[in-house]
Structures are given as C-alpha cells and as structure tokens.
Amino acid sequence: MTDRELKKLKDDLWHSADVLRAGAHLAANKYGQPILGLIFLRYADIFFKQHKAEIEVEYNRLKGGRMEKSKREIAIEKCGFFLPECAYYDSINNAPDTAEKATLVKQAMEAIENENPKMAGVLPKEVYAQLVPDEEPELLSKIIRIFKDIPENCTVDIFGEIYEYFLGNFALSEGKDGGTFYTPATVVRYMVEVLNPQPGDKKFLDPACGSGGMFVQAARYMHSHNASEQEQMKFRCYGVEKEPDTVKLAKMNLLLNNVRGEITEANSFYSDPYNAFGQFDYVMAIIWSSYQAIQNVQNEESQAIAA
C-alpha cells in the first residue's frame, strides 16, 4: 500500500467518527471507545484469518500425539490471540441492521476476552448499545461497514498506523486533555531516535505510558534498523498508567502492533509495580509539566493532515 493509498484509507475510515457524532447518543469524549474497539475487532479478524491455515496445519500435525495442542493454544503462539467464530467480522457485518447488532458486537468482545485471559476487561462492550438509537437503529451497521473496507491483506504495520491515526485525532478533539493519553508521534519518534534502542533480549519501561505509543515506536525503530523477527520477539515492554480507560487503549495498541509486554494500572508517583530499580535496559517517559508544547505539536500535525 502506497503512502497516498494509506492516507486515503485513514481519511475514509475517519468518516466513521463523523457518522457517529451525527447520530449517536454519546458524550463528546466517548466517541473513541467504540470506534477503537471496532478497529481492533477488524484487525483480529484479518490477522487471525492470515494465520488460520498455518494453525490448522500445526493442529493436524500434532493431533493424537504426546505434543497435541488445542487450536486455541496454537493460535496464541502463532498470532498472539485466539478468535472465536462469533467474533468473525463477516458474521457481525452480515447480520440484520437492527438493534441486535449491538448485542452481537458485545458477545464477540466477551468471547474474545474469555478465550484470551490477558484481554480480560480490555475491550469495550456496553457502549455499543448506545449506537442503535430508536431514530436510527442501523447506525452501528453503517460504522461496521466502514471498517469492512479495510483490505484483507492489511499488515500489522498498517493497522498500527490506523490505530495511531485515530488516537491522534481523538486526542486533538479533546484539546489539552488528549495529552494525558496520547503524545504526538513526531515527539515520540524523536525521543526513540535519541534513545537508540538496540534489538535483542531487552526490557523497556515507561512509567507514564498513556496509550503505549512509546513502545510501538521503539518496536518500529528496531524493525526499521533491520532487527530480526526473533530479536524483535525478545523485546518486552512494561508500562504504568493510572487511568483505567487509557490502560485499555494501551493494551489494545500493543496487541494491534504485535508488541509483547504488560501494562499495569497504577500511579508511578506513589507505587512501583515492577520493582523497577536496576531491572530495565531502557526507561523513557514524558512528564506533563506543561501542556502547551505538546498542544503546539498537535496543532501542527492537525494542520499537516488537513493540508
């Protein structure tokens, strides 16, 4: 996918936020949750299907032997998660355009969490009931169809870019409060370049991780500097974030970018959940002593996107 094609895809997908604002009964700062959840659902569907044949081969090879494994176990090894059939995107997209679609999405999110304990409590569920108002019960179906347009051959990198694009736009729409969960990608990339993380068996700490952008950019940096897949798999990130909703955004961000690690809900000023002293190879964080500098960067990015 070319840069021009990716930009058009992002802009087309962002239309979902406009559709939601026009018809949903949601507060201005709540649009991001259901949309980011659907991005994750579409990602999970495509990424799982890309590995499905490989999972079947491995399952049949081990079946009946001492090393036999369930398809769920093999899927988690191959792509990091297992996707139950009720969460297949086509199953939801093809269902009737009624209020029942919100129930299907909720059941899909619950099934994913049940099959993948590390996702427990992460995915949005209840909010979708608000996307089928009486005056427009097909609203949720419209949004789901928008994300169906993401090509089946999309890579992890493309999904990561889409997720980051939406995080950035939602942060811009919230003004200075958006800085509590999102640092502009240009700022983070600069910090990673300065840090120059090396591939291999490394541990990375962000004690104020927000939505996890530091980890994603560090992983991309190593990938762009020709780190092998095996070396990238050894990279582990550990984040601390005090806002429960932002913890969920960060966990989805790591999954979407295939970055391995943990995010813990805590306040780094008062607690040390990882007993951090001497335990990490890299530590990187932004201390929010001033919002104005970040706002300036965000405004510049917004103007660049508009251009």
Side-chain angles (χ1 to χ4, degrees):
M1 183 177 291
T2 66
D3 289 344
R4 184 183 295 273
E5 290 170 335
L6 179 57
K7 183 183 184 304
K8 183 179 185 306
L9 176 61
K10 290 176 180 177
D11 291 341
D12 290 345
L13 295 177
W14 182 249
H15 176 59
S16 64
D18 297 328
V19 171
L20 198 59
R21 275 191 290 269
H25 297 167
L26 284 175
N29 62 346
K30 295 297 183 181
Y31 296 119
Q33 192 179 73
I35 288 180
L36 293 172
L38 290 176
I39 291 175
F40 175 81
L41 195 60
R42 183 63 173 139
Y43 154 81
D45 178 74
I46 289 178
F47 198 51
F48 185 75
K49 283 190 290 190
Q50 289 173 353
H51 286 81
K52 196 171 183 180
E54 185 182 358
I55 292 167
E56 290 286 345
V57 169
E58 183 74 356
Y59 173 75
N60 291 324
R61 184 179 71 84
L62 299 176
K63 188 176 181 180
R66 289 185 300 174
M67 301 293 290
E68 183 174 357
K69 296 179 181 179
S70 68
K71 291 182 181 180
R72 176 181 170 278
E73 290 174 305
I74 296 170
I76 291 174
E77 290 176 0
K78 297 293 184 182
C79 59
F81 62 91
F82 175 72
L83 190 69
E85 287 189 18
C86 69
Y88 289 3
Y89 206 85
D90 282 342
S91 298
I92 298 170
N93 184 52
N94 295 335
D97 297 342
T98 66
E100 288 301 312
K101 189 157 287 191
T103 302
L104 293 178
V105 175
K106 177 183 176 182
Q107 290 173 346
M109 298 297 191
E110 289 174 339
I112 293 173
E113 290 186 346
N114 290 337
E115 294 286 356
N116 303 272
K118 69 178 181 179
M119 300 185 194
V122 171
L123 303 178
K125 294 176 282 292
E126 304 300 335
V127 69
Y128 294 102
Q130 300 175 57
L131 306 190
V132 285
D134 293 338
E135 65 273 18
E136 193 179 1
E138 70 279 7
L139 176 62
L140 177 57
S141 292
K142 290 180 180 179
I143 299 168
I144 288 172
R145 281 195 290 272
I146 290 172
F147 289 105
K148 174 63 179 172
D149 291 339
I150 297 176
E152 296 283 341
N153 63 351
C154 255
T155 63
V156 170
D157 289 344
I158 295 298
F159 267 104
E161 292 244 8
I162 291 169
Y163 192 82
E164 182 179 73
Y165 175 81
F166 273 76
L167 280 175
N169 277 348
F170 285 131
L172 283 169
S173 68
E174 291 195 28
K176 71 175 185 179
D177 290 337
T180 62
F181 68 86
Y182 178 80
T183 304
T186 49
V187 174
V188 180
R189 282 196 293 270
Y190 174 75
M191 293 178 68
V192 171
E193 289 279 348
V194 171
L195 195 62
N196 185 28
Q198 298 301 305
D201 190 8
K202 303 294 184 181
K203 295 172 68 178
F204 199 121
L205 172 68
D206 185 343
C209 71
S211 54
M214 300 283 192
F215 302 132
V216 172
Q217 293 298 335
R220 289 180 186 172
Y221 178 87
M222 286 185 281
H223 176 72
S224 67
H225 286 71
N226 300 317
S228 68
E229 185 175 348
Q230 186 176 11
E231 287 176 323
Q232 292 179 59
M233 291 291 286
K234 292 180 179 179
F235 169 71
R236 288 290 184 275
C237 62
Y238 298 84
V240 183
E241 169 56 44
K242 67 183 179 68
E243 296 295 336
D245 286 344
T246 306
V247 170
K248 296 175 184 180
L249 293 179
K251 289 184 176 182
M252 280 197 288
N253 202 7
L254 297 192
L255 288 166
L256 273 163
N257 286 278
N258 201 25
V259 177
R260 309 301 171 101
E262 299 177 17
I263 308 293
T264 297
E265 183 184 331
N267 188 329
S268 293
F269 284 114
Y270 306 111
S271 62
D272 182 11
Y274 300 122
N275 189 25
F277 182 75
Q279 299 297 314
F280 294 91
D281 300 289
Y282 302 99
V283 179
M284 182 166 68
I286 289 181
I287 305 301
W288 297 97
S289 58
S290 171
Y291 283 108
Q292 190 59 52
I294 298 298
Q295 279 298 106
N296 290 341
V297 174
Q298 289 180 329
N299 289 336
E300 290 173 6
E301 285 193 346
S302 179
Q303 293 168 6
I305 290 171

